[in-house]
Amino acid sequence: MNKLDILVIAAHPDDAELGCSGTIAAHIAKGFKVGIVDLTHGEMGTRGTPEIRLQEAADAAKILGLSARENLGFKDIYFKDDEAHQLELIKVIRKYQPEIVLANAITDRHPDHGKGASLASNACFMSGLRKIETELDGVAQQAWRPKFVYHYIQNNYIQPDFIVDISAHWDTKVASIMAFKSQFYDPASQEPASFISSPEFLPFIESRSRELGHRIMVKYGEGFTVERFIGVDNLFDLR
């Protein structure tokens, strides 16, 4: 009942929306089941509170039509790619048994993004080791290893290994991002300014998506990097 086709792992609430929500929406529209697990509440962010971020994440989940969303409550900034955190993430991977995992950028301006990428990658491999024993609600879990781990591109530009056409789902991406209204530009806000609350930040997100879309001759795109080569048996599967 819990099985997902795609599980998105994000260090902070709004990482998935900013990095790959167009891809999420595109696959949900095709009938795939997609979920998000946020590692932290983003409590060290300049704006908002953990409670606000949780509500915003729930609002974004409804906009996207997610099959599941949960938050592991790791400490923002201070979580590590270590045994304790790996085991908690392994439980989630085994719970949802995704075929594909989308994870944070392998390196980025925010150090949690690279840590999140490493943690997700290691947990996905370790989840397939049957001698690592985990339980969920008192029931032993079976080993499960996703077939593919892809990393979405975030603030820093990284040369993508492939680009997804999200043109038909751009409005859904924008709506899911704007669900996190505490985080972005609001001239009426009394909270301190942050890197992502500047009036230039959301136009940057659109410019990035337009640039990536232009690379594959569509209006909007989202880029991903891979951990291993992608193979095809039909050249006409490529566009």
Side-chain angles (χ1 to χ4, degrees):
M1 294 295 293
N2 290 324
K3 181 171 170 54
L4 298 174
D5 298 298
I6 300 173
L7 178 64
V8 184
I9 298 173
H12 311 107
D14 78 16
D15 282 357
E17 284 75 12
L18 289 166
C20 64
S21 57
T23 299
I24 292 171
H27 285 79
I28 290 174
K30 295 178 188 295
F32 293 104
K33 295 179 67 176
V34 183
I36 296 175
V37 56
D38 298 307
L39 301 182
T40 77
H41 293 109
E43 66 271 17
M44 298 300 288
T46 302
R47 292 186 167 201
T49 65
E51 294 75 21
I52 289 172
R53 301 292 292 273
L54 279 174
Q55 183 57 57
E56 291 172 340
D59 293 342
K62 292 179 182 178
I63 291 167
L64 291 170
L66 297 179
S67 296
R69 186 168 203 161
E70 59 182 274
N71 193 301
L72 294 186
F74 294 166
K75 291 183 67 174
D76 193 12
I77 291 292
Y78 297 108
F79 77 86
K80 298 179 180 179
D81 179 12
D82 61 9
E83 180 179 355
H85 292 84
Q86 289 160 358
L87 287 171
E88 290 304 309
L89 189 51
I90 287 168
K91 291 178 185 178
V92 174
I93 295 166
R94 290 177 172 178
K95 173 182 177 180
Y96 291 116
Q97 299 183 346
E99 305 298 322
I100 295 172
V101 164
L102 305 180
N104 283 102
I106 55 174
T107 183
D108 205 40
R109 172 183 176 272
H110 197 304
D112 278 1
H113 296 167
K115 280 193 299 180
S118 175
L119 174 58
S121 180
N122 287 331
C124 283
F125 180 83
M126 295 167 67
S127 180
L129 301 176
R130 65 181 181 85
K131 291 186 178 180
I132 294 179
E133 298 179 355
T134 58
E135 291 185 356
L136 185 65
D137 298 328
V139 178
Q141 293 182 296
Q142 293 184 335
W144 180 269
R145 183 173 294 145
K147 291 183 175 68
F148 304 101
V149 178
Y150 303 132
H151 297 271
Y152 45 93
I153 295 168
Q154 298 185 256
N155 183 75
N156 294 356
Y157 182 79
I158 300 173
Q159 182 73 10
D161 293 315
F162 67 89
I163 297 170
V164 176
D165 178 7
I166 64 164
S167 304
H169 305 280
W170 176 252
D171 289 344
T172 303
K173 177 180 176 75
V174 171
S176 73
I177 291 172
M178 294 313 299
F180 293 91
K181 51 186 177 292
S182 70
Q183 299 302 299
F184 301 112
Y185 179 65
D186 176 3
S189 175
Q190 300 299 308
E191 292 196 270
S194 70
F195 178 75
I196 65 173
S197 73
S198 74
E200 295 79 24
F201 184 76
L202 292 176
F204 156 71
I205 295 297
E206 180 171 3
S207 296
R208 169 65 59 73
S209 294
R210 283 184 176 273
E211 175 191 15
L212 292 171
H214 181 72
R215 298 283 293 273
I216 58 171
M217 296 182 289
V218 301
K219 189 170 183 180
Y220 294 109
E222 288 175 341
F224 297 83
T225 60
V226 302
E227 296 192 357
R228 64 174 178 83
F229 287 116
I230 297 173
V232 298
D233 58 12
N234 183 346
L235 292 178
F236 289 95
D237 287 340
L238 303 172
R239 53 179 300 179

